[in-house]
Amino acid sequence: MKKRKRLLLNHEKTSPILEEFRILRTNIHLIAKKRNMQTILITSTNAQEGKSTITANLAGMMGEQDLRILIIDADLRLPSQHHVLQQDNYMGLTDILRESIHTIDVIQPTSLRGVDIITAGASPYNPSELLSREVWTELLESMKKNYDYILVDAPPAPIVDSQIIASKVDGTILIVEENKTKAPEFSRSLDMLTKMDAYMLGIILNKTKKRKSDAYYYNKK
Ligand SMILES: Nc1ncnc2c1ncn2[C@@H]1O[C@H](COP(=O)(O)OP(=O)(O)O)[C@@H](O)[C@H]1O
Ligand SMILES: [Mg+2]
């Protein structure tokens, strides 16, 4: 998938992938609404499995349904949401976490209907320390008043930053890349997240050759 095509909504109005994203959106919305979940972490076992791409496209799909969505790029080590959505990244989450700026000054509208973003900002030397701060918890909680969902893009699950985020959000989605993510590593990711009391909202099988809606399943208990 070329960089400029990562936002499906802008390029592929009728593709089967779009239909899968619609199903995904509906499933997530149904479960999250029932369980009163608004802050959702999107992570995976390794880099490059599609976290940032899925976050942006899912946000776009939710926005199309008149939901108000905030994307927060909390992948402070390797941020990419500003590339996916073609936003400025002069200021971002790191500035909020350092309390050097008001949140309102960092939120940017995007080209997607109903979707705003807080980009990552300049990469800090102490990402896990910044993400452990109370101001991060307060930010996630306070945004619930303004948005239906806050989607948090993050580093892979084995990186402690993601585990810290998992402990602060309402639900976590784990992405798996078909024929790539190794089963033992995946189980370790799942273990690490559940140890942090993450509520597993679902698992998404990405880059699948099959075009089936059963390519992902959800925690419906
Ligand atoms: N479903 C998909 N089909 C094809 N390419 C994809 C898909 N999902 C992601 N990609 C591509 O894989 C690469 C990594 O995606 P990205 O979202 O940046 O991963 P991560 O955030 O997990 O590191 C990007 O080049 C992206 O365009
Ligand atoms: Mg990413």
Side-chain angles (χ1 to χ4, degrees):
M1 199 186 289
K2 293 213 177 79
K3 209 166 225 174
R4 65 173 192 283
K5 285 199 167 175
R6 281 168 79 181
L7 279 182
L8 295 170
L9 269 175
N10 293 352
H11 295 280
E12 304 196 37
K13 297 277 180 224
T14 57
S15 95
I17 310 178
L18 267 188
E19 191 44 36
E20 291 195 13
F21 267 107
R22 280 192 196 101
I23 298 167
L24 188 62
R25 166 193 65 194
T26 307
N27 284 345
I28 290 172
H29 186 41
L30 279 175
I31 299 165
K33 205 171 161 201
K34 197 164 128 194
R35 301 197 149 258
N36 238 337
M37 294 178 165
Q38 286 181 265
T39 49
I40 299 173
L41 163 68
I42 294 155
T43 187
S44 68
T45 301
N46 303 294
Q48 295 287 310
E49 290 178 325
K51 296 179 287 298
S52 301
T53 310
I54 287 182
T55 303
N57 284 291
L58 186 59
M61 282 296 165
M62 289 176 144
E64 290 282 297
Q65 225 179 23
D66 290 334
L67 294 166
R68 290 159 307 150
I69 309 299
L70 177 67
I71 295 175
I72 304 182
D73 193 348
D75 190 345
L76 301 181
R77 295 165 198 255
L78 208 60
S80 71
Q81 253 340 304
H82 58 289
H83 294 309
V84 180
L85 288 159
Q86 298 179 318
Q87 304 287 144
D88 288 338
N89 189 31
Y90 299 121
M91 291 180 302
L93 181 59
T94 43
D95 303 285
I96 300 175
L97 299 181
R98 288 195 183 110
E99 299 184 67
S100 57
I101 199 158
H102 292 296
T103 303
I104 196 86
D105 296 327
V106 186
I107 298 177
Q108 303 179 49
T110 71
S111 62
L112 300 172
R113 191 170 102 205
V115 181
D116 289 347
I117 187 168
I118 296 177
T119 60
S123 288
Y125 69 92
N126 56 346
S128 49
E129 194 260 303
L130 283 180
L131 292 164
S132 303
R133 293 186 181 178
E134 194 51 31
V135 59
W136 175 219
T137 315
E138 286 162 9
L139 174 70
L140 287 165
E141 290 307 309
S142 67
M143 289 298 112
K144 291 182 179 179
K145 292 191 290 289
N146 304 343
Y147 295 92
D148 293 296
Y149 291 108
I150 297 106
L151 302 184
V152 183
D153 193 0
I159 294 181
V160 67
D161 305 12
S162 249
Q163 298 161 35
I164 296 166
I165 299 166
S167 72
K168 291 175 186 269
V169 291
D170 301 330
T172 295
I173 294 175
L174 196 52
I175 295 169
V176 178
E177 183 173 340
E178 191 174 65
N179 296 325
K180 181 113 181 288
T181 314
K182 298 197 169 59
E185 291 175 8
F186 168 77
S187 323
R188 270 203 296 282
S189 297
L190 208 51
D191 277 355
M192 284 185 256
L193 293 167
T194 42
K195 274 196 189 111
M196 299 303 281
D197 284 336
Y199 180 84
M200 295 310 298
L201 182 53
I203 292 159
I204 298 175
L205 188 59
N206 191 28
K207 305 196 193 180
T208 173
K209 301 282 179 291
K210 294 175 273 175
R211 294 267 176 256
K212 282 189 183 168
S213 57
D214 64 357
Y216 31 76
Y217 57 90
Y218 285 86
N219 191 343
K220 290 185 173 154
K221 64 181 184 245

